[in-house]
Amino acid sequence: MKRLKSQYIFRHVRRVAAGLIGCCLLTACSDWFDVAPKTDLTAEKLYSTESGFESALTGIYLSMVTTEAYGGNMSFGLLDQLAQEYDYLPDGAVDQTAIYNYATTTSAGFATKQKLAQSWLKLYNVISNCNNFLKWLNSKGDQVIRNENTRNSYRAEALAIRAYCHFDLLRAWGPWKYGIDAAAASTKSIPYRVETNKEKMPLLPAKDVIEKVLKDLTQAKELLAAEKTLRLEDSNRRFRFNYHAVNALLARVYCYVGDAPHAIACAQDVIDHCGLLLSSSNQDDPILFSECLVALNMYHMQETTSRLWADGDKFSTQYFIRQERFDKYFEVSGSTREDMRTKSAAFYEHSSTKTAISRKYNTNPHEAVPLIRLPEMYFILCEMTNDMTASAKYLNLVRNKRGYSKSVNVSYTNAEGRLTALNKEFRKEFYAEGQYWFFLKRHGITQLPYAQNVELSKERFVFPLPDAEKEYGWTAASEQ
């Protein structure tokens, strides 16, 4: 009953927030931030009550789950298409490599340039709303929100969202092989915005962006200290940036930069204290929400994503995968299927057309789009641990839970063998979740054995700045 009541309250606040987005979270036509003097009066009223702050924060989460952000392009959409996770080709496309046409608007059906520009705009729009929220929290929070823990939680969530979006912008538009290529850390990448204004901001070196991301996340973690003992298994805090989610994001960032001690400490802390366990069943839960440390809620998900994920006799717009590739991808051998992610609870399969489609977004009772899931913490331990025997143990813990018997446990003796094994597990685990592209980019993996006609490169991994940013953004001349 408590859970149902909490879900009702969340959905009610979501409806209120949706009504407020039109007047308070405006998207400007020419800029990626949403400040306009005419909204000041509305904002004054909105932030005059605690429920107003709650609605505004919920509105920010809602804006994250649009098609341009994590309800499409930055999760199961564009990023996984770039990683060649699907066999689907849009109308007008005859070649999978046409998706890497970042320079023109005529990318043979993929519209990659437009989608990248939309995602850049949307993520900075989310960041701007976080900054605006923090501004009002600084000026009115103490008067309006009497409970200190509530104020701390609101501030922490806004900081965590700001860090999450900036980090993904860096991973997408920033350098490839960070931590491997010596020049990556100094490569100018993206602006880091901490105020909502129209001031042009410089492109920062990647290492400076990381420093600011870590600063925001460290502060968020401190503010959420009261949640250290929170158990997430029955908590609606999984739909918000809670303490364990912030810790997990810290582990992801530390892993990205190759800071093994901090990455291991954060990942292990999440595993030990979040209250979630690796699942051995995905029945009625193909997205494995039971392992979500933080997720976004997409209202009416099945209807919203039906064009991409609905099952049917044939697929014309859906992200399907051909059976032959599916078998190689998930290591299916004849009738032998140990991996629970290859079974009917995870995929619809059609023998007549020899195609399959994931059930993650049409059999999803929580309507959840995952941002961070628990198995990533084991993969971070696997990657950051120097002892190869211990490293393989973490990888096999996930494999065994997914159905593989211990008799086929993987082993390796060097970093190259580890990367090969981790690559296979990562692409299976995060299929249709948008994380695999970043994995490939960070490690500089250019060969895709399941898409042999595609070869990746530094040029394909690093997205060019959108035209609007190059035209209206910061330049050396504008600073002078």
Side-chain angles (χ1 to χ4, degrees):
M1 181 65 70
K2 180 180 179 181
R3 181 182 175 190
L4 289 174
K5 182 178 179 182
S6 297
Q7 288 180 336
Y8 169 79
I9 292 172
F10 178 78
R11 288 173 184 262
H12 171 71
V13 172
R14 175 172 55 194
R15 286 194 295 270
V16 172
L20 290 165
I21 287 176
C23 62
C24 299
L25 304 178
L26 302 174
T27 302
C29 296
S30 59
D31 297 301
W32 39 253
F33 46 85
D34 56 9
V35 182
K38 64 183 179 182
T39 66
D40 285 349
L41 181 60
T42 303
E44 184 76 40
K45 291 181 179 178
L46 175 67
Y47 292 112
S48 64
T49 64
E50 184 172 333
S51 63
F53 273 97
E54 171 65 21
S55 294
L57 187 56
T58 301
I60 293 173
Y61 281 104
L62 282 174
S63 69
M64 292 178 72
V65 80
T66 59
T67 300
E68 298 80 12
Y70 299 101
N73 290 352
M74 297 300 291
S75 58
F76 55 73
L78 180 61
L79 293 183
D80 274 352
Q81 284 184 285
L82 289 164
Q84 300 298 329
E85 297 272 59
Y86 316 122
D87 284 306
Y88 159 76
L89 287 175
D91 288 342
V94 295
D95 180 2
Q96 288 174 309
T97 61
I99 194 171
Y100 305 109
N101 181 356
Y102 304 150
T104 67
T105 56
T106 55
S107 53
F110 285 103
T112 309
K113 181 176 181 178
Q114 297 95 313
K115 290 180 180 178
L116 289 175
Q118 291 164 0
S119 294
W120 173 280
L121 179 84
K122 189 61 188 180
L123 291 192
Y124 274 113
N125 178 263
V126 172
I127 290 166
S128 178
N129 287 319
C130 288
N131 291 336
N132 196 45
F133 180 88
L134 289 167
K135 180 191 75 173
W136 284 98
L137 192 61
N138 288 336
S139 63
K140 299 192 72 171
D142 289 350
Q143 307 165 37
V144 175
I145 306 168
R146 298 305 175 90
N147 186 286
E148 183 180 8
N149 283 338
T150 302
R151 288 198 307 273
N152 287 345
S153 179
Y154 286 176
R155 185 181 303 279
E157 289 180 51
L159 289 169
I161 294 170
R162 183 170 79 182
Y164 190 96
C165 291
H166 274 116
F167 183 56
D168 273 2
L169 285 160
L170 176 66
R171 292 200 292 174
W173 276 268
W176 82 321
K177 297 202 297 187
Y178 194 103
I180 300 173
D181 184 350
S186 299
T187 302
K188 291 187 176 181
S189 303
I190 64 168
Y192 202 97
R193 300 199 67 93
V194 296
E195 293 184 13
T196 300
N197 55 41
K198 294 187 177 183
E199 181 182 352
K200 295 177 180 180
M201 301 296 292
L203 301 180
L204 296 178
K207 61 183 180 181
D208 292 0
V209 176
I210 291 295
E211 181 181 340
K212 292 179 181 297
V213 166
L214 290 173
K215 180 180 178 181
D216 277 351
L217 291 177
T218 300
Q219 184 181 353
K221 183 176 176 179
E222 292 170 354
L223 289 166
L224 290 168
E227 288 189 344
K228 281 185 178 181
T229 59
L230 173 70
R231 308 285 290 183
L232 290 177
E233 56 263 51
D234 293 315
S235 172
N236 275 332
R237 287 290 292 160
R238 280 191 283 174
F239 281 116
R240 310 293 281 261
F241 270 94
N242 57 79
Y243 176 87
H244 304 298
V246 171
N247 216 10
L249 182 53
L250 278 166
R252 179 184 285 180
V253 177
Y254 284 128
C255 181
Y256 177 84
V257 301
D259 184 340
H262 283 99
I264 290 171
C266 290
Q268 191 65 60
D269 192 30
V270 172
I271 291 169
D272 291 343
H273 300 108
C274 72
L276 304 181
L277 300 173
L278 292 173
S279 178
S280 57
S281 172
N282 56 0
Q283 191 66 42
D284 300 321
D285 186 21
I287 199 69
L288 291 176
F289 180 71
S290 60
E291 297 177 352
C292 281
L293 294 158
V294 59
L296 299 173
N297 182 261
M298 181 185 286
Y299 194 47
H300 288 162
M301 172 180 281
Q302 191 168 6
E303 298 90 332
T304 302
T305 65
S306 61
R307 187 179 67 84
L308 303 174
W309 296 109
D311 187 34
D313 297 333
K314 58 183 178 180
F315 303 127
S316 56
T317 60
Q318 291 95 323
Y319 291 144
F320 69 89
I321 184 171
R322 299 192 188 281
Q323 191 69 49
E324 180 182 3
R325 193 164 143 204
F326 172 86
D327 291 347
K328 291 179 180 178
Y329 203 98
F330 289 98
E331 302 180 59
V332 175
S333 178
S335 59
T336 303
R337 295 192 177 204
E338 291 186 282
D339 195 328
M340 71 181 189
R341 295 164 297 194
T342 66
K343 300 180 182 180
S344 59
F347 275 84
Y348 295 106
E349 295 181 70
H350 296 275
S351 57
S352 59
T353 56
K354 295 183 179 180
T355 55
I357 189 167
S358 173
R359 299 178 60 156
K360 284 186 174 182
Y361 300 99
N362 57 24
T363 307
N364 191 324
H366 295 278
E367 298 183 311
V369 177
L371 296 181
I372 311 176
R373 287 196 297 110
L374 183 63
E376 185 178 348
M377 299 300 103
Y378 288 91
F379 290 165
I380 288 172
L381 293 178
C382 165
E383 184 174 344
M384 294 284 101
T385 300
N386 288 327
D387 184 327
M388 294 300 161
T389 301
S391 171
K393 179 182 176 182
Y394 294 120
L395 200 63
N396 286 319
L397 278 170
V398 180
R399 283 174 53 84
N400 296 157
K401 284 294 184 179
R402 298 310 184 234
Y404 292 100
S405 63
K406 292 183 178 179
S407 64
V408 293
N409 275 358
V410 299
S411 63
Y412 38 78
T413 58
N414 54 42
E416 182 180 359
R418 169 171 59 190
L419 181 58
T420 299
L422 187 57
N423 183 15
K424 288 181 179 180
E425 297 309 314
F426 209 95
R427 75 184 185 219
K428 285 185 287 187
E429 186 61 49
F430 299 110
Y431 180 84
E433 295 183 30
Q435 295 300 319
Y436 187 46
W437 173 254
F438 293 137
F439 178 88
L440 294 171
K441 179 177 179 177
R442 180 163 60 87
H443 291 287
I445 298 173
T446 59
Q447 301 295 321
L448 303 177
Y450 48 88
Q452 295 180 4
N453 61 328
V454 175
E455 184 172 348
L456 299 176
S457 63
K458 179 179 180 179
E459 291 70 29
R460 288 181 169 179
F461 276 125
V462 180
F463 301 152
L465 292 175
D467 289 345
E469 179 65 22
K470 288 186 285 188
E471 184 174 356
Y472 301 111
W474 183 92
T475 64
S478 68
E479 184 183 58
Q480 293 169 3

